Amino acid sequence: MERDVSIRLGVVGCGSVFWTPYMNLIERLRGQGRVEVTAVYDADPEKRRAAAERLDLTPELPDDLAVCTHPDVDLVMVLTSMPEHARLARAALEAGKHVLVEKPVATSLEDAEAVLAAAEAAPGHLLCAPHILLSPSYRAMHARVLAGEVGGLLSARARYGWAGPDWGRWYYEPGGGALFDLGIYNVTSLCGFFGPARRVTAMTGIAIPERVVQGERIRVQADDNAHVLIDFGDARYAVVTTGFTMQKYRSPCIELYGTHGVLQMLGDDWAPEGYELWRNDKAAWEVYPEADPTWPWTDGLRHLVECLETGVEPVTRPEHAYHALEIMLAAQAAGADGRAREITSDFPAPDLARLGEVGGHHRVHDPRSAS
Amino acid sequence: MERDVSIRLGVVGCGSVFWTPYMNLIERLRGQGRVEVTAVYDADPEKRRAAAERLDLTPELPDDLAVCTHPDVDLVMVLTSMPEHARLARAALEAGKHVLVEKPVATSLEDAEAVLAAAEAAPGHLLCAPHILLSPSYRAMHARVLAGEVGGLLSARARYGWAGPDWGRWYYEPGGGALFDLGIYNVTSLCGFFGPARRVTAMTGIAIPERVVQGERIRVQADDNAHVLIDFGDARYAVVTTGFTMQKYRSPCIELYGTHGVLQMLGDDWAPEGYELWRNDKAAWEVYPEADPTWPWTDGLRHLVECLETGVEPVTRPEHAYHALEIMLAAQAAGADGRAREITSDFPAPDLARLGEVGGHHRVHDPRSAS
Amino acid sequence: MERDVSIRLGVVGCGSVFWTPYMNLIERLRGQGRVEVTAVYDADPEKRRAAAERLDLTPELPDDLAVCTHPDVDLVMVLTSMPEHARLARAALEAGKHVLVEKPVATSLEDAEAVLAAAEAAPGHLLCAPHILLSPSYRAMHARVLAGEVGGLLSARARYGWAGPDWGRWYYEPGGGALFDLGIYNVTSLCGFFGPARRVTAMTGIAIPERVVQGERIRVQADDNAHVLIDFGDARYAVVTTGFTMQKYRSPCIELYGTHGVLQMLGDDWAPEGYELWRNDKAAWEVYPEADPTWPWTDGLRHLVECLETGVEPVTRPEHAYHALEIMLAAQAAGADGRAREITSDFPAPDLARLGEVGGHHRVHDPRSAS
Amino acid sequence: MERDVSIRLGVVGCGSVFWTPYMNLIERLRGQGRVEVTAVYDADPEKRRAAAERLDLTPELPDDLAVCTHPDVDLVMVLTSMPEHARLARAALEAGKHVLVEKPVATSLEDAEAVLAAAEAAPGHLLCAPHILLSPSYRAMHARVLAGEVGGLLSARARYGWAGPDWGRWYYEPGGGALFDLGIYNVTSLCGFFGPARRVTAMTGIAIPERVVQGERIRVQADDNAHVLIDFGDARYAVVTTGFTMQKYRSPCIELYGTHGVLQMLGDDWAPEGYELWRNDKAAWEVYPEADPTWPWTDGLRHLVECLETGVEPVTRPEHAYHALEIMLAAQAAGADGRAREITSDFPAPDLARLGEVGGHHRVHDPRSAS
């Protein structure tokens, strides 16, 4: 795809999510002449300066909105702390920009609704993280589910957790917690396979009351441990297990139990290591190695750029992110009082088939040296 | 252990649980001169006759109580359908017998209470299935948890399900269902590791409304799909996933997440295939092969016989079975209305250490030919 | 298959191979009314008496030949020490009996030739251990190789070893050693897949010069460590790794590399735990669980009995055993002087397809309780 | 490590080994200010120009020797085709340069001897690929072998093969072949664990006589299939299985069988994925995840640069490479006539402990985003 002009990126928020993960991908796209970064901003002057220096930009923007409305920016990447997501995404959309916003799109349903309404009214695309539906393993599994290879889905388990960060106090303060930091991945993945949820309940709480973060002992004030039950209708259920309470695992990250078989993803849904398929009529586990072991969880940026280049809509839809947010908030509420919550929002089925078929890779010999 | 006289068994219920699983073990114990079967009964005259013939007994007992009170019986095995368990166990205890009762000990808390009260008042031992705490893998894991090798337990997952029987309509009729047939194993296992539960919620339902059983299409009337969340206090949670909705799996049956490591059982808790241990300070998965790949889930009988031979109490306690029953009933209730239930009963920690240490087995070369 | 009369077995050699492994199978066949044991002999009077007592037989046969020529015997099982195999098999065949002989059929090519000639001339069937071609996993893999599912076989690895017995000094004395005790399994397996070998070389030696056997320190005088290279013609090679020098393993027992895929057996070829198949055009590992986890390596007896019942020839042929012997002897010679040896004998392709298709087993739920 | 001046690299040979694998590492080292590239040459003018352009260099060097003797070069990287290795390495050493030479250091023992003699006489360091002893998994396993954790090594298997390149005809022409392209890795690895070999035999040949390379059907003229047996003295043996005849594998790349345990490397020795350890006294498999999943097989360059920065000798010694070459040539000879060859050269034990301890990594959460 030859292009005369590359897409101009504006970045708001230059923390750890920007530095290495997104930066790696930006560099690769820049090397291909597909993007350039024209504006950056971070509330922290030091981070602001570091990013500007790295990108050969002037750091002298007055505030975050200056990126969102910058005349030399086509696509705004909202990578700030969670509470700012909705405001910035909305501002950028209203300024006519395309927007990639990190998860969650908002921290309340009202704010999320406002962002989606802005996207509806504006010319730009809105792409909400996580981008996990784009991974080759997810897409291959999704195609198999759609094709009925394991029959109708009846039950599922998903898990994503770890020991928890020993940096960043905000993870353990109100507004942080494992559910929004980790659980949202599995929730997004499962809804992509099952369709919209109908009901949610959960157990959530603080299992490790004190931690050492950045060398200091702190009191944990946000839930670090959670199990979420999701009802997808017709007595089809799934559970998401998450927490800063899991030192390690050695189990599939997603297990989908269908009427005629089982599909499970290895690794994590944001870093898949292939998948496994059981079909009763084959009576064998088929183990599919990861088609792209270097697939980055920032891949939504590449997807959005490609959509802009080719003039099509992104396959991941803002309604999916809204729905996941409703589930997360319902899980928090149910975790507080032990009562299941109905889920009312909906989202269109993701059209992953449009991305093409996921290939095998038996001749790739040295993936670590891939350019 | 030389004994002058072997223990005399009376069997009530000669269905599929009696034929092969318990019968295999009875034969082995009989070969060692430790037991003999002196009375059998089944409501079905044909099954009654088949069992009597196989055991060289006269089939002519008038009813099930005749086994429970039989003068030539020391130990009554209650292997009937679930609704009869409590009545028969109680009758046998009151007749001064030792009792092994299949799960569940009763189908209501009132009945269970009555059985436990009878055991309390009577001289005989009461041993309630499942016997899964006796497996070498369970015992080895339990010892490691007690020794603090993974730190304090914070979170857990367990699963046991399969495609479901294509025989026996009662599995799918009211009083049947996956929760009591399958879920009780995981619930019993988890409580053995965590201690008493404090709260329960669940999602349960009928995911496959019609099935073919014994060649006939039937309507399913009992829940075949369930996820149960258990709160063990202090924000420590576990989930049990079960159902006649799982065609196959390839994941640990139990995952225990502690503050400093992870322990997980392979296979099923009623048929373990070893276990795995992660400790942060070792930074390796230690994979322990099954110490006894032929361990039978009927092993409670051997244990009870040994306790009688040596004059000690069984390590698995009726209060544990009562507690599991309270959890199961609470899960059913929560599944119906979406509201978590408090759990009030308690049980003493199982003293599995008394059974001795579980050995390794690297020199066993041909386990299939083991006598 | 109803039969008026069961097949009458005579057993020569009542050591560890007879006790549990073959005895288990004999009991099962006896329970089905298919065999009875009518004569036993062992050079050791105590073993002789124990076997006779267990089988309700008079122990008073004068010598081993008395079993081979016994008028009430249809099928002679030669389970003695290796040097006696050829003499006894031949005597039994010449007496008109069917013969099952443990491996190796003889310890020299001359003796083996004489046994095969006797079988040719006599009416009885000769079945030579090992019986590993009969396992469900072997048969399934063999069918796939024949069907060309991995293309033409080009290369292979096989391994079978362990720490070595701490009983039985003869394993470590001249005439013993790892090659004939262990290596013969892999050699037999590989030839079954590739067809006749054309050339052999090897490294063999004594890696652990002293051992404790039955509590006593002994000097090892037979090779306990060996790698055998086999040339199957057209630059297609395989290696067999064996020894009393392998404490444990965790790798496939057989790996077959074809032009378009790979097939590998899990477990051991005498105790398979399923198999794995890679096909380039599927780009997935297909993992086939063991169809019969209780398959016994003594299964040749059942096969021979079935052949007698149905009037057909056994599918495992004496020429295959002869060929394996030639390879083993060539490996010993090459191990001594470092020079490859040509292999001249041949054997017909085993017609395993005649045994029918190997089924899957996804509905087997409790294999340990199988009757 | 602060340095005033970075090390100046000269590159001879700008083929596929230079482009991505070494180039990736050079860029990383350049980013750290540790190296710069000051001279490049390739016999092919187009490759020469591409490399020069990428590195902002003038392409106008007259020949390969001009790099070896270039006044602005400290370290010469010899990445040409195999026959040129010895000549160029020697010229660079004699010009006072440090040298990194790709495998094999030479194609005859005479040439290799000359290179080693030049290194001996000259001030520069000579580092010969492969660099696999430097990987974290190799080092961790090596330390365990030295510490006697599996007892004395008795037997081993190693494998490295694949479907073979469908580019580059030279792989299949005289001077190419699987042994030198692939087998040398396993040979180098095994000698690092066992010490010097004493004897070698092999089977080698052309198993796939015709192939399609770069769209054209060619006749294969170099051995594409090989098994090599190595005798490490005292009846301790290993086998290396290699070939362009292996479509895929799923087995450890190296298995080391000791008197008291087993050690095995997962993945490939040039791209390890952790290792497994069995110790009889622990009776468990300990599975160590890869400490650095991004470790590149070009790591020798980083090591040599570090040695120059800190003024110490490289831990991988030229004598080791010479010894591996003697084994490879002996394997070729034995493959041709079926006769084992004595090995006479020696090499000092690699002092990998000097590189420090290999750490665990249980807190690494997102290795794909590592900078």
Side-chain angles (χ1 to χ4, degrees):
Chain A
M1 181 63 47
E2 274 292 315
R3 271 179 58 87
D4 295 353
V5 290
S6 59
I7 292 159
R8 297 167 302 171
L9 308 181
V11 177
V12 205
C14 303
S16 61
V17 165
F18 170 66
W19 287 109
T20 351
Y22 275 106
M23 195 60 198
N24 277 353
L25 180 54
I26 289 172
E27 300 242 303
R28 202 176 320 157
L29 295 170
R30 205 159 59 157
Q32 298 164 2
R34 299 167 74 184
V35 304
E36 55 189 308
V37 184
T38 48
V40 293
Y41 183 81
D42 193 285
D44 177 340
E46 208 163 319
K47 286 185 183 169
R48 189 155 82 216
R49 262 194 301 273
E53 192 174 313
R54 175 80 151 76
L55 293 157
D56 273 325
L57 293 171
T58 160
E60 294 318 321
L61 293 178
D63 58 20
D64 47 19
L65 287 173
V67 174
C68 298
T69 59
H70 199 291
D72 296 342
V73 161
D74 303 312
L75 190 170
V76 174
M77 299 173 65
V78 180
L79 311 179
T80 62
S81 67
M82 292 182 185
E84 316 301 324
H85 288 180
R87 177 179 58 87
L88 294 167
R90 202 172 150 185
L93 287 163
E94 287 170 353
K97 313 299 188 194
H98 303 288
V99 171
L100 178 153
V101 58
E102 253 307 312
K103 45 98 184 159
V105 58
T107 53
S108 74
L109 285 184
E110 294 69 36
D111 285 355
E113 226 161 313
V115 178
L116 267 71
E120 193 66 34
H125 292 317
L126 168 64
L127 189 80
C128 306
H131 313 301
I132 49 186
L133 273 65
L134 300 173
S135 81
S137 285
Y138 193 97
R139 287 161 48 200
M141 288 174 66
H142 194 260
R144 291 185 185 274
V145 168
L146 282 193
E149 295 193 19
V150 296
L153 298 186
L154 302 175
S155 184
R157 303 200 301 169
R159 56 100 193 109
Y160 171 30
W162 69 300
D166 53 8
W167 70 91
R169 305 172 66 113
W170 76 267
Y171 287 103
Y172 305 107
E173 291 168 353
L179 216 48
F180 274 91
D181 190 47
L182 311 176
I184 196 169
Y185 289 93
N186 286 173
V187 167
T188 304
S189 284
L190 288 171
C191 291
F193 288 122
F194 275 88
R198 291 293 158 239
R199 207 165 49 108
V200 164
T201 193
M203 288 188 175
T204 66
I206 298 171
I208 305 180
E210 291 198 349
R211 292 198 176 233
V212 175
V213 173
Q214 282 158 328
E216 233 179 296
R217 178 157 295 274
I218 64 160
R219 276 211 76 72
V220 174
Q221 293 164 284
D223 293 344
D224 63 356
N225 203 21
H227 292 253
V228 180
L229 290 188
I230 307 175
D231 179 351
F232 288 103
D234 300 324
R236 303 175 307 138
Y237 310 123
V239 63
V240 168
T241 297
T242 187
F244 298 133
T245 48
M246 302 167 85
Q247 302 304 306
K248 199 83 181 174
Y249 31 61
R250 189 170 153 98
S251 59
C253 61
I254 297 178
E255 304 162 28
L256 303 175
Y257 297 95
T259 51
H260 296 87
V262 181
L263 254 173
Q264 46 197 28
M265 191 186 281
L266 307 180
D268 277 301
D269 47 12
W270 53 274
E273 295 174 5
Y275 67 96
E276 302 179 328
L277 169 62
W278 172 272
R279 290 181 279 195
N280 285 345
D281 59 348
K282 306 275 178 191
W285 281 102
E286 296 166 47
V287 183
Y288 290 84
E290 179 55 41
D292 179 4
T294 65
W295 180 84
W297 53 262
T298 53
D299 193 42
L301 175 59
R302 185 205 49 75
H303 177 57
L304 182 49
V305 165
E306 190 171 283
C307 287
L308 298 180
E309 290 167 349
T310 57
V312 298
E313 286 226 312
V315 295
T316 47
R317 309 304 308 147
E319 296 88 345
H320 192 151
Y322 181 94
H323 187 75
L325 179 64
E326 188 184 356
I327 292 173
M328 304 301 291
L329 294 168
Q332 283 188 321
D337 67 9
R339 296 169 63 174
R341 293 300 192 282
E342 305 292 317
I343 300 296
T344 59
S345 66
D346 228 319
F347 68 94
D351 180 20
L352 302 180
R354 205 226 292 158
L355 302 175
E357 216 173 306
V358 177
H361 72 136
H362 85 273
R363 288 194 68 88
V364 173
H365 183 57
D366 182 10
R368 291 188 202 179
S369 297
S371 55
Chain B
M1 180 67 43
E2 275 291 316
R3 272 180 56 88
D4 296 354
V5 288
S6 59
I7 291 159
R8 297 166 303 171
L9 308 181
V11 177
V12 205
C14 303
S16 61
V17 165
F18 169 67
W19 289 108
T20 351
Y22 275 106
M23 194 61 197
N24 278 352
L25 181 54
I26 289 172
E27 300 241 303
R28 202 176 322 155
L29 295 171
R30 205 158 62 156
Q32 298 164 1
R34 298 169 74 183
V35 305
E36 57 189 306
V37 184
T38 48
V40 293
Y41 183 82
D42 193 284
D44 176 340
E46 209 163 318
K47 286 185 183 169
R48 189 154 82 217
R49 262 194 302 273
E53 192 174 312
R54 176 77 152 77
L55 292 158
D56 272 326
L57 292 172
T58 159
E60 295 318 322
L61 292 178
D63 57 21
D64 47 18
L65 286 174
V67 174
C68 297
T69 60
H70 198 292
D72 296 342
V73 162
D74 303 314
L75 190 169
V76 174
M77 299 173 64
V78 180
L79 311 179
T80 61
S81 66
M82 292 183 186
E84 317 301 323
H85 288 179
R87 176 178 62 85
L88 294 167
R90 200 171 152 185
L93 286 164
E94 287 170 353
K97 313 300 188 194
H98 304 288
V99 171
L100 178 154
V101 58
E102 253 307 313
K103 45 99 187 159
V105 58
T107 53
S108 74
L109 286 184
E110 296 68 37
D111 284 356
E113 224 162 313
V115 178
L116 266 70
E120 192 66 34
H125 292 317
L126 169 63
L127 189 80
C128 306
H131 313 300
I132 48 187
L133 273 65
L134 300 172
S135 81
S137 284
Y138 193 96
R139 288 161 49 200
M141 288 174 68
H142 194 260
R144 290 184 186 275
V145 168
L146 282 193
E149 295 192 21
V150 295
L153 298 186
L154 303 175
S155 183
R157 302 201 300 170
R159 57 100 192 107
Y160 171 29
W162 69 300
D166 53 8
W167 70 90
R169 305 172 66 112
W170 76 267
Y171 287 102
Y172 304 107
E173 290 169 353
L179 215 49
F180 273 91
D181 190 47
L182 310 176
I184 196 169
Y185 289 92
N186 286 174
V187 167
T188 303
S189 285
L190 288 172
C191 290
F193 287 121
F194 274 88
R198 291 295 157 238
R199 208 166 49 107
V200 164
T201 194
M203 286 189 177
T204 65
I206 298 171
I208 305 179
E210 291 200 348
R211 293 199 176 233
V212 174
V213 173
Q214 283 158 326
E216 234 177 296
R217 178 158 294 274
I218 63 161
R219 275 212 78 70
V220 174
Q221 295 163 283
D223 292 345
D224 62 356
N225 203 22
H227 292 253
V228 180
L229 289 188
I230 307 176
D231 178 351
F232 288 105
D234 299 324
R236 303 175 306 137
Y237 310 122
V239 63
V240 168
T241 297
T242 188
F244 298 132
T245 48
M246 302 166 85
Q247 303 303 305
K248 199 81 180 175
Y249 31 61
R250 188 167 153 99
S251 60
C253 60
I254 297 178
E255 302 163 30
L256 303 175
Y257 296 95
T259 50
H260 296 87
V262 181
L263 255 172
Q264 47 196 27
M265 191 186 282
L266 308 179
D268 278 302
D269 47 12
W270 54 273
E273 295 175 4
Y275 67 97
E276 302 180 328
L277 169 62
W278 172 272
R279 291 181 279 196
N280 284 346
D281 59 348
K282 306 273 179 195
W285 281 102
E286 297 166 47
V287 182
Y288 291 85
E290 179 55 41
D292 178 5
T294 64
W295 181 84
W297 53 262
T298 52
D299 193 42
L301 175 60
R302 185 205 50 74
H303 177 57
L304 182 50
V305 164
E306 191 172 284
C307 287
L308 298 180
E309 290 167 348
T310 57
V312 297
E313 285 226 313
V315 295
T316 47
R317 309 304 308 148
E319 294 87 345
H320 193 150
Y322 180 94
H323 188 75
L325 179 64
E326 188 183 356
I327 291 173
M328 304 301 290
L329 294 168
Q332 282 188 321
D337 67 9
R339 297 169 61 175
R341 294 298 192 286
E342 304 292 316
I343 301 296
T344 58
S345 66
D346 227 321
F347 67 94
D351 180 19
L352 301 180
R354 204 226 291 157
L355 301 175
E357 215 173 307
V358 177
H361 71 135
H362 84 272
R363 289 194 68 89
V364 174
H365 184 56
D366 181 11
R368 292 188 202 179
S369 297
S371 55
Chain C
M1 180 66 43
E2 275 292 316
R3 271 179 57 87
D4 296 354
V5 290
S6 59
I7 290 159
R8 296 167 302 171
L9 307 180
V11 176
V12 205
C14 302
S16 61
V17 165
F18 170 66
W19 289 108
T20 347
Y22 275 107
M23 194 61 197
N24 278 351
L25 181 53
I26 289 172
E27 299 241 304
R28 201 176 321 156
L29 294 172
R30 206 160 60 157
Q32 299 164 0
R34 298 169 74 184
V35 305
E36 56 188 307
V37 183
T38 48
V40 292
Y41 183 82
D42 193 285
D44 176 339
E46 209 162 318
K47 287 184 183 170
R48 188 155 83 215
R49 262 194 302 272
E53 193 174 312
R54 176 79 151 76
L55 292 158
D56 272 326
L57 292 173
T58 160
E60 295 318 322
L61 293 179
D63 58 20
D64 48 18
L65 287 174
V67 174
C68 298
T69 59
H70 198 292
D72 296 341
V73 162
D74 303 313
L75 190 169
V76 174
M77 298 173 64
V78 180
L79 310 179
T80 61
S81 67
M82 292 182 187
E84 316 302 323
H85 287 179
R87 177 180 60 87
L88 294 167
R90 200 172 152 187
L93 287 164
E94 287 171 352
K97 313 300 187 193
H98 304 289
V99 171
L100 179 154
V101 58
E102 254 307 313
K103 46 97 186 161
V105 58
T107 52
S108 75
L109 286 184
E110 295 69 36
D111 285 355
E113 224 162 314
V115 177
L116 266 70
E120 192 65 33
H125 291 318
L126 168 64
L127 190 80
C128 306
H131 312 301
I132 48 187
L133 273 65
L134 300 173
S135 82
S137 285
Y138 193 96
R139 287 161 50 201
M141 289 173 67
H142 194 261
R144 289 184 185 276
V145 168
L146 282 194
E149 296 193 20
V150 295
L153 299 186
L154 303 176
S155 183
R157 303 201 300 171
R159 56 98 193 110
Y160 171 29
W162 70 300
D166 53 9
W167 71 89
R169 305 173 65 111
W170 76 268
Y171 286 102
Y172 305 107
E173 290 169 353
L179 214 49
F180 273 91
D181 191 46
L182 310 177
I184 195 170
Y185 289 92
N186 286 174
V187 167
T188 303
S189 285
L190 288 171
C191 291
F193 287 121
F194 274 88
R198 289 296 158 239
R199 206 166 49 109
V200 165
T201 193
M203 287 190 176
T204 66
I206 298 171
I208 305 180
E210 290 200 349
R211 292 197 176 234
V212 175
V213 173
Q214 283 157 327
E216 233 177 296
R217 178 159 293 275
I218 63 161
R219 275 212 79 71
V220 174
Q221 294 163 283
D223 292 344
D224 62 357
N225 203 22
H227 292 253
V228 179
L229 290 187
I230 308 176
D231 178 351
F232 288 104
D234 298 324
R236 303 176 306 139
Y237 310 122
V239 63
V240 168
T241 298
T242 189
F244 299 132
T245 48
M246 302 166 86
Q247 303 302 306
K248 200 81 180 174
Y249 31 62
R250 188 168 153 98
S251 60
C253 61
I254 297 178
E255 302 162 30
L256 303 175
Y257 296 94
T259 50
H260 296 87
V262 180
L263 255 173
Q264 47 197 27
M265 190 185 282
L266 307 179
D268 277 302
D269 47 12
W270 54 273
E273 295 175 4
Y275 67 97
E276 302 180 328
L277 169 62
W278 172 272
R279 290 180 279 195
N280 284 346
D281 58 348
K282 307 273 180 195
W285 281 102
E286 297 166 46
V287 182
Y288 291 84
E290 179 55 41
D292 178 6
T294 63
W295 181 84
W297 53 262
T298 52
D299 192 42
L301 175 59
R302 186 205 49 74
H303 177 57
L304 182 49
V305 165
E306 191 171 284
C307 287
L308 298 180
E309 289 167 348
T310 57
V312 297
E313 285 226 312
V315 294
T316 47
R317 309 304 308 147
E319 294 87 346
H320 192 150
Y322 181 94
H323 188 75
L325 179 64
E326 187 183 357
I327 291 173
M328 304 301 290
L329 294 168
Q332 283 187 320
D337 67 8
R339 297 169 62 175
R341 293 300 192 284
E342 305 291 317
I343 302 296
T344 58
S345 66
D346 228 320
F347 67 94
D351 180 19
L352 301 180
R354 204 226 293 157
L355 302 175
E357 215 173 307
V358 177
H361 71 135
H362 85 272
R363 288 194 67 89
V364 173
H365 183 57
D366 181 10
R368 291 188 202 179
S369 297
S371 55
Chain D
M1 181 65 44
E2 275 291 316
R3 272 178 57 88
D4 296 354
V5 289
S6 58
I7 291 158
R8 297 167 301 172
L9 307 181
V11 177
V12 204
C14 302
S16 61
V17 165
F18 170 67
W19 288 109
T20 349
Y22 275 106
M23 194 61 197
N24 278 352
L25 180 54
I26 289 172
E27 299 241 303
R28 202 177 318 158
L29 294 171
R30 205 159 60 158
Q32 299 163 1
R34 299 168 74 184
V35 305
E36 55 188 308
V37 183
T38 47
V40 293
Y41 184 82
D42 193 284
D44 176 339
E46 208 164 318
K47 287 185 184 169
R48 190 154 82 216
R49 261 194 301 273
E53 192 174 313
R54 175 79 151 78
L55 292 157
D56 273 326
L57 292 173
T58 159
E60 294 319 322
L61 293 179
D63 58 21
D64 47 17
L65 286 174
V67 174
C68 298
T69 60
H70 198 291
D72 296 342
V73 162
D74 302 314
L75 191 169
V76 175
M77 299 173 64
V78 180
L79 310 179
T80 60
S81 67
M82 293 181 185
E84 317 301 324
H85 287 180
R87 176 179 61 85
L88 294 167
R90 201 171 151 187
L93 286 163
E94 287 171 353
K97 313 300 187 193
H98 304 288
V99 171
L100 179 152
V101 59
E102 254 307 313
K103 46 98 184 159
V105 58
T107 52
S108 74
L109 285 184
E110 295 67 37
D111 284 355
E113 224 162 312
V115 178
L116 267 71
E120 192 65 33
H125 291 317
L126 168 64
L127 189 80
C128 306
H131 313 300
I132 49 186
L133 274 64
L134 300 173
S135 82
S137 284
Y138 193 97
R139 287 161 48 200
M141 288 174 67
H142 195 260
R144 290 184 185 275
V145 168
L146 282 193
E149 295 192 20
V150 296
L153 298 186
L154 303 175
S155 184
R157 303 200 301 169
R159 56 101 192 107
Y160 171 29
W162 69 300
D166 53 9
W167 70 90
R169 305 172 65 112
W170 75 267
Y171 286 103
Y172 305 107
E173 290 169 353
L179 214 49
F180 273 91
D181 190 47
L182 311 176
I184 195 169
Y185 289 92
N186 286 174
V187 167
T188 303
S189 285
L190 288 170
C191 290
F193 287 122
F194 275 88
R198 291 294 158 239
R199 208 166 47 110
V200 164
T201 194
M203 288 188 175
T204 65
I206 298 170
I208 305 180
E210 291 199 349
R211 293 197 176 233
V212 174
V213 173
Q214 283 158 327
E216 232 179 297
R217 178 158 294 274
I218 63 160
R219 275 212 78 72
V220 174
Q221 293 163 284
D223 293 344
D224 62 357
N225 203 22
H227 292 253
V228 179
L229 290 187
I230 308 175
D231 178 351
F232 287 103
D234 300 324
R236 303 176 306 139
Y237 310 122
V239 64
V240 168
T241 298
T242 188
F244 298 132
T245 48
M246 302 166 85
Q247 302 303 307
K248 198 82 180 173
Y249 32 61
R250 189 169 152 99
S251 60
C253 61
I254 297 178
E255 304 163 28
L256 302 176
Y257 296 95
T259 51
H260 296 87
V262 180
L263 256 173
Q264 46 197 29
M265 190 186 283
L266 307 180
D268 277 300
D269 48 11
W270 54 273
E273 296 175 3
Y275 67 96
E276 303 180 326
L277 169 62
W278 172 271
R279 290 181 278 196
N280 284 346
D281 59 348
K282 307 273 179 193
W285 280 101
E286 296 166 47
V287 183
Y288 291 85
E290 179 55 42
D292 179 5
T294 64
W295 181 84
W297 54 262
T298 52
D299 193 42
L301 175 60
R302 186 205 48 75
H303 177 57
L304 182 50
V305 165
E306 190 172 283
C307 287
L308 297 180
E309 289 167 348
T310 57
V312 298
E313 286 226 312
V315 296
T316 47
R317 309 304 309 147
E319 295 88 345
H320 192 151
Y322 181 95
H323 188 75
L325 179 64
E326 187 184 356
I327 292 172
M328 304 300 290
L329 294 168
Q332 283 187 319
D337 67 9
R339 295 169 63 175
R341 293 300 191 284
E342 306 292 316
I343 300 296
T344 58
S345 66
D346 227 319
F347 67 94
D351 180 20
L352 301 179
R354 205 224 294 157
L355 301 174
E357 215 173 308
V358 177
H361 72 137
H362 84 273
R363 288 194 68 89
V364 173
H365 183 57
D366 181 11
R368 290 188 203 180
S369 297
S371 55

